[in-house]
Amino acid sequence: MGRKAIEKRDNQLIINIDEIEREQQALMLTKSNDLIHAKFNASLFVQKLLNFSLASIAKQPNGEISSAVRVADLRNAMDLSGHSIYTAVSAAVEPILNFKIIKYDDAAEKIIGLNIVTDCYYSDGILYTTFNRKIEADVINIQKKFTRNNVYFLCKFKSAYSLRLYELLSTQRWVLQKSKKKIVSVIYSLGELRFEMGTIDPNDSEVQKAMRRNMDWNIIAEEVAANRTQKRWDDFKRRILVVAQKEINNADYSDIGFDFEPVKSGKSNKVTSVKFHIYLKNPPEYNDQMIPEEEIDAVDVRLVSDIKNAFPSYPLREEDLIAVVRAAGNDRDRVRKAIDIVNIQKKPIKNLIGFLVAAIQECWDQDENIPYIVDQDYECTQQTIFDYNEHEEEHQRLNELVKKYLANDIAETDIKMEDRSVVKAMANASKKVEKMKNRDIM
């Protein structure tokens, strides 16, 4: 939840109930895809509690990231009655404190294990949770691929496998929406999928050693993991995948559906991977003015108003403003940065919406009055900003050059000298994005 809903004064969390009730109307859970793909083992109830708490997270003045959730709200979200949930939440505090994930650390380029909660307690009908600051970049001001889900929908799942698989497959929602494809397919190795679904404990010491050595997931699952359930493919398919498929495909709180098929390899014709075919149940109608990153009802209307008020002289349409907020993932800081960069431009901006979206998606920043793009040098930064500032068609021309360059249709020497450094920088950035995409899929 927002900072107005939860404040910390004199080391105490202060709950603004009215603000919480307003924010609940659009309580969305935003996680980096890296965090979604982390390996863990947890009950359905603990997963729901953590998801609700993460959706309600706020950064405190002392740097802590924490949440305060009313158990009455949890009861309503889970469609439960009576007082048994209060006992269940109290009993869940210890499992939450012991909840550990295994994830890939991009900065350190290694597998790490960490407890994502540093403090958790239940008092007077409220669950207080303080999260490990090491996951801050995965839940607040996320700068990489992320996925947003309505936390109330997540709380309605009846199977831990359904909830887990829904979160994993929902990372492909943006591909369906942006590409306008009817179906997108992803492949998981069977071994990794067993970890993702919690049928193998990733906290086993021998398993972690194997993961740090980058062993094949199937080998880890079959030869290293000591405790695993549903060892046979037929059992895994029947008790996990089919159960999850039935709920995800039929539930009205799920916006996606999927089919799957085993992928066999080797002389023994053994199942080694699973291919998922994901689709939107009610695909939106698209038009050229929309950037279909997220559902319209997930957009923070306050940010839409902020952008409109920041540029009163520009004739901006609501769908254009929504596109900017979508690009920012409802992140107020990213929108504010983009607005500030616009305001320091000396020349008029012909394509304001394109400029704002580019500033957000490409992580533009500013050092005093000089805008720069993260991971780009000064020359490339100025050229990119010039493209959006002066000639949108110039940016499109460079994009075409990048496509041809990456496809080896043209060589570096075929590119004009004045374009060469920019094209190479854009091509390198495209390769990074593709590499991340492939890692997410595999």
Side-chain angles (χ1 to χ4, degrees):
M1 290 188 184
R3 295 177 184 177
K4 292 181 181 178
I6 304 174
E7 299 178 0
K8 201 163 191 178
R9 301 175 191 160
D10 300 327
N11 243 2
Q12 295 293 319
L13 282 170
I14 308 300
I15 312 302
N16 184 327
I17 300 301
D18 292 336
E19 189 70 24
I20 288 176
E21 289 176 347
R22 285 194 294 272
E23 293 190 4
Q24 278 180 348
Q25 297 174 10
L27 186 56
M28 303 295 291
L29 172 62
T30 304
K31 292 182 186 178
S32 74
N33 288 357
D34 283 348
L35 185 59
I36 290 177
H37 283 95
K39 279 65 178 171
F40 62 81
N41 196 342
S43 69
L44 175 63
F45 189 64
V46 167
Q47 287 187 58
K48 289 181 177 181
L49 290 183
L50 284 169
N51 279 336
F52 208 101
S53 297
L54 284 168
S56 309
I57 204 167
K59 188 166 184 178
Q60 307 300 333
N62 65 356
E64 287 185 349
I65 51 174
S66 57
S67 67
V69 175
R70 296 189 306 180
V71 175
D73 296 329
L74 289 169
R75 182 178 60 190
N76 293 336
M78 297 181 194
D79 291 333
L80 298 175
S81 58
H83 297 280
S84 60
I85 189 170
Y86 294 91
T87 303
V89 169
S90 181
V93 168
E94 184 175 353
I96 289 174
L97 282 169
N98 293 328
F99 182 83
K100 190 173 183 178
I101 64 170
I102 306 296
K103 70 185 289 282
Y104 187 80
D105 187 323
D106 287 316
E109 295 186 344
K110 64 179 182 180
I111 298 289
I112 62 169
L114 71 154
N115 290 82
I116 70 169
V117 172
T118 59
D119 190 23
C120 181
Y121 63 95
Y122 169 68
S123 176
D124 296 328
I126 297 176
L127 179 69
Y128 298 90
T129 309
T130 302
F131 290 91
N132 191 325
R133 295 188 193 183
K134 289 182 179 180
I135 68 164
E136 180 175 342
D138 292 298
V139 291
I140 297 178
N141 297 331
I142 307 171
Q143 299 296 323
K144 49 190 173 182
K145 282 187 179 180
F146 60 88
T147 298
R148 293 170 53 76
N149 284 306
N150 186 313
V151 76
Y152 284 94
F153 290 169
L154 297 180
C155 283
K156 293 183 183 298
F157 279 97
K158 298 176 176 61
S159 160
Y161 301 134
S162 302
L163 173 57
R164 186 73 183 110
L165 191 56
Y166 175 83
E167 279 204 86
L168 290 170
L169 299 184
S170 69
T171 60
Q172 300 302 311
R173 186 191 297 117
W174 71 274
V175 179
L176 286 162
Q177 293 176 323
K178 192 166 186 177
S179 67
K180 306 178 187 178
K181 293 180 179 179
K182 291 184 178 180
I183 294 176
V184 64
S185 299
V186 294
I187 297 177
Y188 283 91
S189 74
L190 180 57
E192 181 172 16
L193 192 59
R194 290 184 186 279
F195 277 99
E196 298 279 21
M197 300 305 292
T199 64
I200 300 177
D201 184 3
N203 297 309
D204 179 87
S205 59
E206 293 302 316
V207 166
Q208 290 191 22
K209 288 178 185 178
M211 292 170 70
R212 285 193 288 268
R213 292 198 297 269
N214 292 319
M215 288 181 63
D216 180 86
W217 287 109
N218 287 334
I219 294 177
I220 298 176
E222 294 178 10
E223 301 179 12
V224 179
N227 301 313
R228 60 190 175 107
T229 58
Q230 286 79 45
K231 297 181 181 181
R232 297 173 61 250
W233 157 250
D234 287 343
D235 291 337
F236 183 80
K237 172 186 174 181
R238 177 170 53 87
R239 297 180 181 177
I240 295 177
L241 297 185
V242 172
V243 169
Q245 182 184 39
K246 184 176 180 180
E247 181 172 9
I248 291 172
N249 287 6
N250 295 329
D252 57 5
Y253 41 84
S254 165
D255 58 346
I256 61 173
F258 73 92
D259 294 311
F260 68 93
E261 59 180 304
V263 179
K264 300 180 180 180
S265 62
K267 294 181 180 180
S268 61
N269 205 29
K270 188 176 182 180
V271 176
T272 55
S273 302
V274 181
K275 189 172 187 178
F276 293 92
H277 306 286
I278 309 153
Y279 57 88
L280 292 174
K281 290 182 181 177
N282 298 300
E285 295 293 328
Y286 295 104
N287 61 59
D288 293 338
Q289 285 74 45
M290 291 177 63
I291 298 180
E293 294 289 342
E294 294 290 346
E295 298 82 359
I296 288 181
D297 60 5
V299 170
D300 188 334
V301 293
R302 294 169 296 183
L303 289 182
V304 172
S305 297
D306 287 348
I307 300 171
K308 186 175 183 179
N309 294 334
F311 307 108
S313 61
Y314 281 83
L316 299 174
R317 296 174 300 176
E318 185 170 343
E319 57 261 39
D320 293 330
L321 299 172
I322 287 172
V324 176
V325 177
R326 283 184 186 140
N330 285 341
D331 189 317
R332 184 174 297 276
D333 288 341
R334 296 173 75 185
V335 171
R336 188 70 256 171
K337 275 185 179 180
I339 292 173
D340 290 343
I341 290 172
V342 169
N343 288 333
I344 65 174
Q345 299 303 302
K346 295 180 180 179
K347 296 181 179 180
I349 297 173
K350 296 181 179 179
N351 180 13
L352 177 62
I353 295 300
F355 189 98
L356 288 167
V357 170
I360 290 166
Q361 290 182 334
E362 298 174 11
C363 300
W364 298 8
D365 212 324
Q366 66 184 76
D367 183 5
E368 296 180 351
N369 289 326
I370 302 175
Y372 68 90
I373 300 175
V374 177
D375 294 331
Q376 282 195 25
D377 59 25
Y378 177 80
E379 179 185 355
C380 293
T381 291
Q382 297 309 307
Q383 180 64 52
T384 303
I385 292 176
F386 174 82
D387 294 341
Y388 281 97
N389 225 346
E390 294 292 325
H391 303 291
E392 185 180 5
E393 63 270 20
E394 180 72 2
H395 187 72
Q396 294 172 352
R397 181 183 70 82
L398 288 171
N399 271 335
E400 288 302 316
L401 285 174
V402 170
K403 289 179 182 177
K404 292 179 180 179
Y405 180 63
L406 289 173
N408 294 320
D409 291 336
I410 58 174
E412 182 177 332
T413 52
D414 297 325
I415 303 171
K416 293 180 181 179
M417 186 63 69
E418 59 266 28
D419 292 337
R420 196 169 296 172
S421 62
V422 178
V423 169
K424 289 176 67 177
M426 292 171 68
N428 288 335
S430 179
K431 288 177 182 177
K432 288 181 181 178
V433 171
E434 196 62 30
K435 186 177 180 181
M436 289 177 62
K437 186 189 300 183
N438 289 336
R439 191 186 71 214
D440 287 341
I441 292 174
M442 298 302 293

